[in-house]
Amino acid sequence: MKQYDVVIAGGAMVGACLAIALDELTQHQLHIAVVEAVATDDQQHPGYDARSIALSHGSSRLLDSIQLWPALAKVATAIKHIHVSDRGHAGMVELSAQQLAVDALGYVIELAAAGEIFHHQLATRPQIDLFCPAKVEDIERTQSEALIRLNTGKRLRTKLVVAADGALSHCCDLLHIGRNEHDFEQVAIIANVTTAEPHQGQAFERFTQHGPVALLPMSQGRSSLVWCVEPQQQARIMALSETQFLAELQTVFGWRLGALTLVGERHCYPLILRQAQRLVSHRTAVIGNAAQTLHPIAGQGFNLGLRDVMTLAEEIAAGVARGADIGLPTVLGRYRERRLPDRQATVAMTAGLVSLFANNNPALVAGRNLGLMTMSLSNTLQAPLLRRAMGQVKR
């Protein structure tokens, strides 16, 4: 039975980030295990599939603090301009990196490219052991430690278990950490598209009566599409030919990037807000999508998860520095207290935007468009939204 200081269940971006952050912030003092169910070089790895993620400006700075950003920057596409609009109405907001005197408002990274970088990091850090492919099959907690059994037969002992194994966390289920769910009654269709006009680093969020449509700038002139539709539209839209799909998307999105010319493989998934009922338990912490899974509106999911990672890593490093047992409430309680306000505010913002822009009540339509137009003229009104969008959030 191997002894570890921390065992992280889940080795995609959030779990890998935590392992690296712990290694960096404790100056390689901890022995860390990462348990990942799917081989990271598997093209079907759900954490490193065809999707892209939007990284806020603040997230890039957090990644830089743990020596990850230089490698990720090479596969990142800068977001120089954000255009937010409501289809069929006049209200809109435009934000630019130039007006805010920053290099970029954020970045877009393909998960497959990120996967290679994280896998290399995990494989080359002596204090991190990667068990992959392997699954956590059982967790037994005593007062002084947690005992973990993997499906490979290996057994691990640790002071702290971290659940970073995604929205339907098996670890949370094993530990009886419940989750609350809210179905947005929308489905996200994701794909990569090519446009006739170069995107020039522009990101678009367009609200329609059925849900938001986002196009984020990618490498090679492509854009990453997230198209939210009603569930009853899913089968029809997924069955469209490429030409039909592009024509329907063109009608919804408009012509701001000229004609939509190509679309890659399409994927879809239901949009459900999931929140773990507890962020900590005895010798357990919950982070990333295991802690909360958000609607993709405003691209907050990974950025919120990364703030979980960095806060937990900071509290563990502080505990190590003072000789504390990192699995006890003296350490984990601080993580929970620091994360709750940001978590609640980000969930409220994303869920609120979905409700506001999916509602066709004439009074709400008029109000939100007046709000968008007013916000476009007022730096004071823009500021709170902008701070959260750029990841400039207190942890």
Side-chain angles (χ1 to χ4, degrees):
M1 187 177 291
K2 297 196 72 173
Q3 177 75 48
Y4 291 93
D5 296 296
V6 182
V7 173
I8 302 167
M13 283 187 69
V14 165
C17 274
L18 178 62
I20 294 161
L22 288 172
D23 195 40
E24 286 289 327
L25 296 186
T26 64
Q27 298 181 315
H28 323 296
Q29 292 183 64
L30 297 182
H31 197 192
I32 302 160
V34 178
V35 181
E36 173 51 45
V38 184
T40 47
D41 57 356
D42 187 332
Q43 294 303 307
Q44 300 305 311
H45 192 295
Y48 297 126
D49 59 18
R51 292 175 298 168
S52 298
I53 57 164
L55 278 181
S56 68
H57 177 80
S59 289
S60 71
R61 303 281 66 81
L62 291 177
L63 290 166
D64 197 41
S65 72
I66 55 173
Q67 318 306 317
L68 273 174
W69 182 241
L72 288 170
K74 294 175 183 176
V75 297
T77 302
I79 298 173
K80 299 286 190 180
H81 190 96
I82 297 175
H83 184 280
V84 182
S85 61
D86 192 2
R87 182 173 178 264
H89 304 282
M92 68 176 63
V93 173
E94 296 188 78
L95 307 169
S96 76
Q98 184 177 9
Q99 78 186 61
L100 296 167
V102 292
D103 292 336
L105 296 170
Y107 301 87
V108 180
I109 296 179
E110 293 175 67
L111 290 177
E116 295 180 13
I117 292 167
F118 282 107
H119 181 63
H120 175 75
Q121 285 278 339
L122 294 178
T124 55
R125 288 178 177 257
Q127 291 298 101
I128 301 175
D129 290 345
L130 177 62
F131 294 87
C132 180
K135 296 179 181 179
V136 173
E137 216 165 57
D138 186 60
I139 303 172
E140 179 187 344
R141 293 176 292 178
T142 68
Q143 186 171 350
S144 60
E145 63 185 359
L147 309 174
I148 298 169
R149 186 177 77 246
L150 306 184
N151 65 334
T152 59
K154 287 190 168 61
R155 293 173 179 267
L156 314 177
R157 303 166 70 133
T158 186
K159 292 294 183 184
L160 175 64
V161 182
V162 180
D165 51 344
L168 297 172
S169 168
H170 181 55
C171 280
C172 286
D173 292 341
L174 289 173
L175 297 168
H176 307 292
I177 297 174
R179 66 181 69 91
N180 300 323
E181 296 190 354
H182 169 71
D183 191 340
F184 289 111
E185 298 182 354
Q186 292 180 357
V187 173
I189 297 172
I190 59 174
N192 298 331
V193 301
T194 301
T195 55
E197 296 179 13
H199 56 62
Q200 297 181 316
Q202 293 182 90
F204 296 87
E205 181 112 48
R206 189 157 174 75
F207 296 102
T208 78
Q209 68 181 99
H210 302 302
V213 178
L215 278 181
L216 304 176
M218 294 173 65
S219 62
Q220 301 169 348
R222 299 166 300 156
S223 292
S224 174
L225 168 70
V226 180
W227 183 6
C228 301
V229 301
E230 295 169 328
Q232 56 267 34
Q233 296 292 322
Q234 174 187 338
R236 181 188 65 80
I237 293 175
M238 291 296 287
L240 294 173
S241 69
E242 181 175 333
T243 301
Q244 292 168 329
F245 181 85
L246 288 170
E248 187 155 337
L249 178 59
Q250 190 91 64
T251 301
V252 173
F253 175 72
W255 295 82
R256 292 185 181 276
L257 292 176
L260 306 175
T261 59
L262 290 171
V263 61
E265 186 176 353
R266 288 168 249 167
H267 303 269
C268 62
Y269 59 96
L271 297 177
I272 299 171
L273 170 65
R274 294 185 173 95
Q275 297 180 81
Q277 292 171 354
R278 288 176 287 163
L279 292 181
V280 301
S281 181
H282 179 60
R283 300 203 172 277
T284 306
V286 188
I287 63 172
N289 279 351
Q292 63 276 311
T293 307
L294 307 183
H295 191 287
I297 195 170
Q300 290 295 302
F302 175 73
N303 298 295
L304 182 61
L306 182 60
R307 297 198 291 273
D308 291 346
V309 165
M310 294 304 298
T311 304
L312 180 58
E314 288 166 0
E315 291 303 329
I316 290 173
V320 169
R322 63 178 184 265
D325 182 335
I326 60 173
L328 294 183
T330 50
V331 173
L332 299 182
R334 280 286 298 144
Y335 162 68
R336 180 189 62 233
E337 289 167 15
R338 288 179 60 188
R339 292 309 302 139
L340 284 177
D342 179 22
R343 181 200 202 207
Q344 290 168 349
T346 306
V347 167
M349 182 195 79
T350 54
L353 284 172
V354 175
S355 298
L356 177 62
F357 283 94
N359 195 312
N360 290 316
N361 180 292
L364 273 179
V365 171
R368 75 193 184 210
N369 274 275
L370 178 61
L372 284 174
M373 286 187 286
T374 305
M375 194 177 292
S376 70
L377 300 172
S378 169
N379 290 335
T380 303
L381 290 176
Q382 277 186 17
L385 176 64
L386 192 56
R387 280 197 297 271
R388 195 155 292 279
M390 292 185 67
Q392 297 170 338
V393 179
K394 183 179 179 181
R395 290 186 292 111

